[in-house]
């Protein structure tokens, strides 16, 4: 685990506690079969229904950028410039359209089921020069949708990010929130978490202790961890810890 700050300045690296292609098979060339007619059958195999074999996709690419058509042809999600592109739901670099701030024209951060703290967290990230867009809530099938897509510079394709607002600053509470966030973003291909500890006066020392406990538990129980954890401390500073297995 490498510990560093969202602002310049190295931090000591915390040590985790030690508690104890898609690769479609290509079908053999189809041989013409006798059909009892003068002309051979033109029926296509299921994966050739469109006349085009599906393209291979990388398993490292976020799942949200891919979908499958009935014909089996890989179809990518909307990209910046498309009319249907949603900066909160779709990955893609904004490039010249990048602006720091909170992009929320539908006021999703102000929805009744999201509380008042998510917008406050988003606005704090925007002060770092980042672009923050809310993700639409979708609780269907028990799949909790992380809160935002965060981009830190024009070429950044975006990182699915969960916001957590601490009600207690104990290491146990911090550990629990990080583990929960790891599970949530893990269902979307991975991502980050922002732990907002301003309301409880979170200190750097407690943040590190809670993180070490979370990392230790995750390794012991093979649980998902956020790629990076950003702590908003009681003094409004942001501290980052990057997870290393």
């Amino acid at each position: 685990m490498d510990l560093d700050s969202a602002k310049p300045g190295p931090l000591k690296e915390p040590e985790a506690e030690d508690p104890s292609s898609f690769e479609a098979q290509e079908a053999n060339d189809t041989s013409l079969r006798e059909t009892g007619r003068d002309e051979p059958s033109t029926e296509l195999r299921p994966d050739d229904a469109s006349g085009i074999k599906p393209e291979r996709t990388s398993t490292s690419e976020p799942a949200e950028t891919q979908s499958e058509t009935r014909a089996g042809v890989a179809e990518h999600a909307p990209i910046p410039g498309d009319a249907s592109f949603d900066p909160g739901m779709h990955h893609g670099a904004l490039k010249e359209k990048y602006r720091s701030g909170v992009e929320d024209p539908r006021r999703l951060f102000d929805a009744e089921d999201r509380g008042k703290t998510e917008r406050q967290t988003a606005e704090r990230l925007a002060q770092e020069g980042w672009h923050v867009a809310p993700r639409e809530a979708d609780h269907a099938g028990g799949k909790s949708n992380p809160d935002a897509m965060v981009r830190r510079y024009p070429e950044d394709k975006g990182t699915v990010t969960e916001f957590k607002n601490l009600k207690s600053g104990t290491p146990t509470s911090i550990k629990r929130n990080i583990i929960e966030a790891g599970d949530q973003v893990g269902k979307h291909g991975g991502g980050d978490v922002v732990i907002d500890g301003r309301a409880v006066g979170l200190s750097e020392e407690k943040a590190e202790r809670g993180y070490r406990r979370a990392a230790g538990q995750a390794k012991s129980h093979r649980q998902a961890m956020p790629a990076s954890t950003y702590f908003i401390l009681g003094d409004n500073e942001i501290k980052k810890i990057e997870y290393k297995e």
Side-chain angles (χ1 to χ4, degrees):
M1 292 174 290
D2 295 327
L3 177 64
D4 58 303
S5 171
K7 293 180 177 295
L11 296 175
K12 292 183 179 180
E13 178 180 326
E15 296 182 357
E17 295 178 356
D18 187 8
S20 66
S21 24
F22 163 65
E23 184 170 327
Q25 295 183 343
E26 297 184 357
N28 294 329
D29 294 337
T30 305
S31 300
L32 295 177
R33 297 176 302 196
E34 294 183 2
T35 61
R37 297 180 297 173
D38 293 334
E39 296 180 1
S41 170
T42 57
E43 181 180 355
L44 295 174
R45 298 189 304 274
D47 63 340
D48 286 339
S50 66
I52 304 174
K53 291 186 178 180
E55 297 177 359
R56 298 182 182 180
T57 56
S58 171
T59 56
S60 62
E61 187 173 354
E64 294 160 11
T65 66
Q66 303 172 8
S67 60
E68 290 290 327
T69 66
R70 291 183 180 179
V73 179
E75 181 181 274
H76 287 271
I79 61 175
D82 291 348
S84 58
F85 177 76
D86 183 334
M89 300 300 293
H90 303 131
H91 290 270
L94 302 181
K95 298 183 180 180
E96 66 276 2
K97 293 185 179 180
Y98 180 93
R99 299 289 185 277
S100 62
V102 179
E103 184 176 347
D104 185 15
R106 292 186 290 164
R107 310 294 295 180
L108 295 179
F109 277 137
D110 300 322
E112 292 183 2
D113 62 342
R114 303 185 78 141
K116 298 180 180 180
T117 59
E118 288 188 15
R119 178 169 292 279
Q120 295 172 357
T121 299
E123 289 175 346
R124 175 62 188 90
L125 301 183
Q127 292 175 7
E128 297 294 305
W130 299 351
H131 176 278
V132 185
R135 295 171 58 81
E136 194 161 5
D138 180 10
H139 305 295
K143 185 177 181 180
S144 179
N145 209 25
D147 298 308
M149 185 78 78
V150 177
R151 295 173 174 85
R152 297 169 180 80
Y153 49 89
E155 300 299 326
D156 189 345
K157 294 182 179 180
T159 301
V160 173
T161 304
E162 171 67 11
F163 294 167
K164 295 292 187 184
N165 189 270
L166 293 180
K167 295 179 175 59
S168 169
T170 65
T172 298
S173 176
I174 295 167
K175 177 197 71 174
R176 184 182 68 252
N177 278 276
I178 294 173
I179 292 294
E180 288 179 357
D183 178 66
Q184 287 174 275
V185 298
K187 294 174 181 177
H188 295 266
D192 296 342
V193 63
V194 177
I195 305 290
D196 194 332
R198 289 176 290 182
V200 297
L202 181 65
S203 67
E204 184 175 329
E205 186 269 335
K206 285 186 177 180
E208 292 181 10
R209 284 177 59 196
Y211 187 88
R212 286 195 297 269
R213 290 189 181 185
Q217 177 177 315
K219 288 182 178 180
S220 176
H221 297 280
R222 297 185 177 182
Q223 294 172 293
M225 279 284 286
S228 293
T229 298
Y230 294 86
F231 292 100
I232 305 179
L233 303 176
D235 60 4
N236 207 38
E237 290 295 304
I238 295 180
K239 300 297 179 182
K240 171 187 174 184
I241 302 178
E242 184 177 348
Y243 182 66
K244 297 289 187 181
E245 293 189 33

